[in-house]
Amino acid sequence: PTGAGCCVVRVAVARWAFERASAAGDLELSIAYAEWVLASDPKHEGAFSKAKQLYSSFERWADLERLYERALEAETDVARRRSLLRDLMLVTEEMRQDKAASLHAARRLLEIDPNDRDAQFQAERLAENLGDLPVLVQVLRNRSGAFATDARERLAEAEWKTGDAVAAVETLKR
């Protein structure tokens, strides 16, 4: 079959093969079948969940990160994209120890939802830890609502360190 019929057949065959490979304890083959399904249907939740579980079991964090990136490329639902990006922030920072990738995921989440407090704090913390002052300034400026005194002082300090003394003074006047 071709088109949608091909995808249905591929998913059915892969599901059957996945179950056999899992029962036999061949986890590498199980991953291959889950990836095969995802190649035909990148939004297939069952295959995504199985691949995620298997990559986590084998501590294959780079593969898990790529799995999330492929899912994000295919996903159009905003709520699902937010969820994937939150998970990706965790995978990149906690499992891969890649703060820059986690900061990138947090900034992508803020593009979708500028008011996401977890992403704001994650991006702020990581930008500060990485010494990325321009990103820190941007994150602090984009916070919605009135700044608390400590956040305003932190923004002014970051602006000052980036050489924008005028902006630092203006921030402190607010």
Side-chain angles (χ1 to χ4, degrees), residues 2 10 17 27 58 62 67 90 127 138 140 142 151:
T2 60
R10 181 179 277 197
L27 298 178
F58 282 120
L67 178 70
L90 176 69
Q138 180 184 20
L140 288 169
N142 289 338

Side-chain angles (χ1 to χ4, degrees), residues 79-174:
R80 177 74 176 135
R81 286 184 61 77
R82 275 196 296 255
S83 176
L84 289 168
L85 284 165
R86 281 190 191 101
D87 289 349
L88 184 58
M89 285 188 323
L90 176 69
V91 167
T92 53
E93 185 175 12
E94 299 297 322
M95 281 52 159
R96 291 208 53 232
Q97 306 293 307
D98 187 342
K99 291 180 181 181
S102 187
L103 174 58
H104 181 64
R107 292 182 72 198
R108 288 165 63 191
L109 181 52
L110 288 171
E111 288 172 8
I112 294 170
D113 184 1
N115 297 318
D116 186 299
R117 300 297 285 166
D118 291 335
Q120 286 175 348
F121 288 121
Q122 180 87 338
E124 181 181 334
R125 181 180 59 77
L126 290 168
E128 191 167 40
N129 287 344
L130 291 168
D132 194 337
L133 292 175
V135 170
L136 179 59
V137 167
Q138 180 184 20
V139 169
L140 288 169
R141 281 183 182 160
N142 289 338
R143 272 196 189 174
S144 63
F147 282 111
T149 302
D150 64 325
R152 188 171 41 252
E153 289 171 358
R154 291 187 66 229
L155 173 58
E157 180 183 359
E159 289 169 332
W160 182 267
K161 287 179 180 178
T162 62
D164 194 349
V166 173
V169 170
E170 289 302 315
T171 297
L172 290 173
K173 286 181 180 179
R174 288 190 238 159

Side-chain angles (χ1 to χ4, degrees), residues 21 35 49 53 63 69-70 80 111 119 130 142 148 159:
E35 289 286 356
S49 293
Q53 174 189 5
D63 290 327
E69 289 295 349
R70 286 194 315 269
R80 177 74 176 135
E111 288 172 8
L130 291 168
N142 289 338
E159 289 169 332

Side-chain angles (χ1 to χ4, degrees), residues 14-97:
R15 184 176 294 138
W16 176 84
F18 175 83
E19 289 170 3
R20 299 307 174 278
S22 294
D26 190 341
L27 298 178
E28 286 295 328
L29 189 57
S30 298
I31 288 173
Y33 285 123
E35 289 286 356
W36 191 48
V37 172
L38 290 169
S40 292
D41 182 3
K43 292 183 176 185
H44 193 280
E45 188 58 38
F48 177 83
S49 293
K50 291 292 184 186
K52 181 173 79 169
Q53 174 189 5
L54 292 167
Y55 285 140
S56 295
S57 296
F58 282 120
E59 296 184 3
R60 289 173 47 178
W61 307 125
D63 290 327
L64 183 59
E65 182 179 356
R66 282 189 291 278
L67 178 70
Y68 274 100
E69 289 295 349
R70 286 194 315 269
L72 282 161
E73 285 176 19
E75 190 57 64
T76 56
D77 179 71
V78 174
R80 177 74 176 135
R81 286 184 61 77
R82 275 196 296 255
S83 176
L84 289 168
L85 284 165
R86 281 190 191 101
D87 289 349
L88 184 58
M89 285 188 323
L90 176 69
V91 167
T92 53
E93 185 175 12
E94 299 297 322
M95 281 52 159
R96 291 208 53 232
Q97 306 293 307

